[in-house]
Amino acid sequence: MVLEGLGNVLRKSVDKISSAIFVDKTLVESIAKDLQRSLITADVNLSLVKEISDKIKKEGEKYTKGVEKKEHLIKLLNDEITNILGGDKKELILGKKEKIMFVGLYGTGKTTTIAKLAAYYKKRGRSVAILGLDVHRPAASEQLEQLGKKIDVPVFIDKETKNPTSIYEKHENKLEKYDLILIDTAGRDALEESLTKEIQLLSKKISPTHTILIIAADIGQAAKIQAQKFKESAKVDGVIITRMDSSAKAGGALTACHEVNAPVYFIGTGEHTGDVELFNPKTFVSRLLGMGDLESLLEKVRSVTDEKAQKKTLQNLEEGKFTLNDFYEQLNSMQSMGSLSKIKELIPGFGKAKIPDELLGAQEEKLKKWKHAIDSMTLEEKENPDLLEKQTSRLSRISKGSGTTTGDIRQLIKQFKMIKDLAKGAKGLGDILDPSQMSQKDMMKLAKKFGKKKFMKFK
Ligand SMILES: Nc1nc2c(ncn2[C@@H]2O[C@H](COP(=O)(O)OP(=O)(O)OP(=O)(O)O)[C@@H](O)[C@H]2O)c(=O)[nH]1
Ligand SMILES: [Mg+2]
């Protein structure tokens, strides 16, 4: 997958947010930090990285009326990344008659991309022709001829002529009958004067409807200077970034083009003629996040949490007044997400986590039992569970009333106490409720008390 590293981190962040019970400072900071690291690895400009992580830190915990905090944070993450990649989609809109000239440095993928686009538009019902004006590289004409044969698109070249303008003149009349003409030009090592002049001359002669710059993702942030220069000297109106499949620096190239206002219309994702995709920042990011559908996930997150009840629980925890009622709320919010195995499918990343279904089933059973047990308790018992340990008759009453064993209830109390204990020592609630934020020691402690060590991987 394109930008795999960034995608992995984003999917993990969504998992973290979805499975945390509260959105607090610790959680927001850890999300911002993970994102920061992965953007730097994807070669995104450092000041841009700082800007986006500052914004997430600043606005991640904001409470907007009517919008659940988790939803807000996931959306913020989504929107910020979409923005640096170009925001709203800028489509290459084609009219009835189009002549598109492709320019760029040596070996960036001009010729290959032209063949890809010819196939792309042919499939969509256009009558397409390719014109080869690269007179510098000896094998350029053969390359185009072969590609044209492969995709069954006519190719116009002239192996004898060394002047691109006269090649155009030679074929001009024959090209009239096509409604989309893709024009290949020669590259250079750098944007030197001879290249600028050649492009300007051809531009004057042909008057292309679009001039598109081809950049290879490998150059990362350097795409900024290149796109800017080509825009100024060759009237480039958009960019196609190739080798998105093989470069870790793709994030740099994409964001850099957006910085200089050079819309990325397509991306090349491989060497074959089918390896081209329309570039739309929004769909690109939702794929990175691993969500077929961001809305449906948000919808689920939205339906889960009762913000008021959570706030109360948080407050109680902080004041050391955490009762079984609060614990019940916590169980509720885990359960109201539906069956745990269903959530596993819905939340990307969960699906891949190694949680055996039996274990999830066992976990669900346990949650249910605990809730039944709490339902059978008196208010006094809920506020002071120590009573249950002192008077075992209470235990048997609850066990009978709730269809659980006294062992189940003891386990519930143990778990409850441990959370309460941890709360005293922890900095913030995120530390307690997101095991990925826990110290190794706490984690072991919790896992041990919980009985099923593997469960910890799930949260
Ligand atoms: N992996 C990968 N390789 C690509 C992609 N696009 C192009 N290539 C490869 O990059 C190399 C150069 O591609 P060309 O299309 O010949 O590049 P060019 O810009 O026409 O090169 P010159 O004509 O020499 O300036 C070829 O080996 C292509 O197969 C892509 O999206 N992904
Ligand atoms: Mg070429």
Side-chain angles (χ1 to χ4, degrees), residues 317-424:
L317 248 178
E318 281 173 354
E319 291 170 7
K321 284 192 300 206
F322 189 64
T323 69
L324 271 173
N325 269 331
D326 298 310
F327 190 58
Y328 191 88
E329 268 314 312
Q330 201 183 327
L331 296 178
N332 240 349
S333 83
M334 284 177 82
Q335 247 194 344
S336 59
M337 286 194 71
S339 108
L340 291 179
S341 37
K342 233 192 260 148
I343 303 169
K344 204 175 122 177
E345 283 157 32
L346 188 75
I347 301 175
F350 263 46
K352 276 190 238 120
K354 290 187 200 90
I355 323 154
D357 280 341
E358 321 86 78
L359 194 59
L360 281 179
Q363 202 51 52
E364 273 169 44
E365 274 311 300
K366 193 181 276 183
L367 293 188
K368 262 190 223 152
K369 277 186 185 166
W370 287 357
K371 278 183 67 183
H372 289 154
I374 299 177
D375 278 333
S376 293
M377 291 178 194
T378 62
L379 190 64
E380 194 190 12
E381 287 161 349
K382 284 185 210 172
E383 309 236 302
N384 184 11
D386 284 343
L387 285 176
L388 301 176
E389 286 177 332
K390 285 181 199 141
Q391 302 170 18
T392 45
S393 60
R394 288 180 187 259
L395 273 188
S396 22
R397 194 204 77 240
I398 296 166
S399 121
K400 274 195 201 121
S402 59
T404 58
T405 65
T406 48
D408 289 333
I409 305 169
R410 282 185 206 280
Q411 206 183 7
L412 152 70
I413 294 170
K414 253 191 191 174
Q415 171 73 6
F416 161 75
K417 282 196 162 172
M418 187 186 40
I419 298 231
K420 202 175 168 179
D421 279 356
L422 282 173
K424 280 185 205 147

Side-chain angles (χ1 to χ4, degrees), residues 104-113 116 134 137 140 143 147 184-188 214 241-246 267-272 275:
L105 302 187
Y106 272 139
T108 49
K110 295 179 290 298
T111 311
T112 316
T113 306
K116 288 177 181 178
D134 180 357
R137 200 159 60 82
Q143 188 191 359
L147 285 168
D184 192 20
T185 64
R188 297 290 194 284
I214 308 286
I241 301 183
T242 62
R243 291 205 209 117
M244 288 288 294
D245 53 311
S246 54
I267 50 175
T269 56
E271 292 189 78
H272 300 292
D275 298 333

Side-chain angles (χ1 to χ4, degrees), residues 48-179:
L48 209 57
V49 175
K50 191 173 174 325
E51 216 174 279
I52 180 169
S53 82
D54 283 352
K55 189 150 182 201
I56 286 177
K57 275 188 219 159
K58 195 168 143 226
E59 295 184 11
E61 259 198 287
K62 262 195 186 159
Y63 179 71
T64 325
K65 209 168 172 239
V67 181
E68 209 263 312
K69 269 189 175 183
K70 284 186 193 175
E71 180 189 347
H72 167 78
L73 186 54
I74 293 178
K75 226 169 155 338
L76 181 69
L77 200 62
N78 179 75
D79 292 351
E80 286 308 304
I81 312 254
T82 308
N83 273 344
I84 60 167
L85 290 176
D88 286 329
K89 178 181 171 189
K90 293 176 190 71
E91 207 173 341
L92 177 63
I93 295 164
L94 297 186
K96 280 209 171 94
K97 282 264 173 203
E98 294 281 344
K99 286 185 276 190
I100 310 179
M101 189 160 87
F102 294 83
V103 300
L105 302 187
Y106 272 139
T108 49
K110 295 179 290 298
T111 311
T112 316
T113 306
I114 286 174
K116 288 177 181 178
L117 290 183
Y120 178 91
Y121 283 113
K122 189 183 169 208
K123 243 192 229 164
R124 285 157 181 76
R126 293 250 167 187
S127 74
V128 189
I130 297 175
L131 173 65
L133 301 184
D134 180 357
V135 293
H136 292 257
R137 200 159 60 82
S141 304
E142 278 83 13
Q143 188 191 359
L144 261 189
E145 261 182 333
Q146 277 173 16
L147 285 168
K149 264 192 203 133
K150 210 169 173 180
I151 54 171
D152 196 23
V153 165
V155 171
F156 295 86
I157 42 170
D158 187 333
K159 291 179 186 167
E160 313 307 321
T161 316
K162 286 288 164 217
N163 178 345
T165 319
S166 21
I167 301 180
Y168 176 73
E169 281 171 348
K170 188 180 161 184
H171 296 299
E172 200 173 357
N173 288 335
K174 283 172 274 170
L175 288 168
E176 288 281 315
K177 66 173 189 174
Y178 297 95
D179 58 32

Side-chain angles (χ1 to χ4, degrees), residues 202-220:
L202 283 174
S203 211
K204 208 166 158 203
K205 181 79 199 167
I206 303 173
S207 350
T209 43
H210 292 281
T211 302
I212 292 182
L213 171 67
I214 308 286
I215 294 181
D218 321 40
I219 65 166

Side-chain angles (χ1 to χ4, degrees), residues 256-323:
C257 286
H258 175 56
E259 274 185 276
V260 292
N261 233 342
V264 178
Y265 292 136
F266 286 91
I267 50 175
T269 56
E271 292 189 78
H272 300 292
T273 48
D275 298 333
V276 69
E277 292 173 20
L278 265 180
F279 181 67
N280 176 352
K282 279 190 186 148
T283 48
F284 188 75
V285 174
S286 58
R287 253 171 54 202
L288 281 184
L289 284 164
M291 295 183 244
D293 184 358
L294 176 71
E295 261 314 303
S296 70
L297 183 79
L298 290 182
E299 195 54 49
K300 200 81 194 168
V301 171
R302 218 175 285 163
S303 66
V304 174
T305 5
D306 178 346
E307 189 89 24
K308 252 197 214 150
Q310 281 196 355
K311 269 200 174 146
K312 179 104 185 61
T313 307
L314 177 63
Q315 200 186 349
N316 282 352
L317 248 178
E318 281 173 354
E319 291 170 7
K321 284 192 300 206
F322 189 64
T323 69

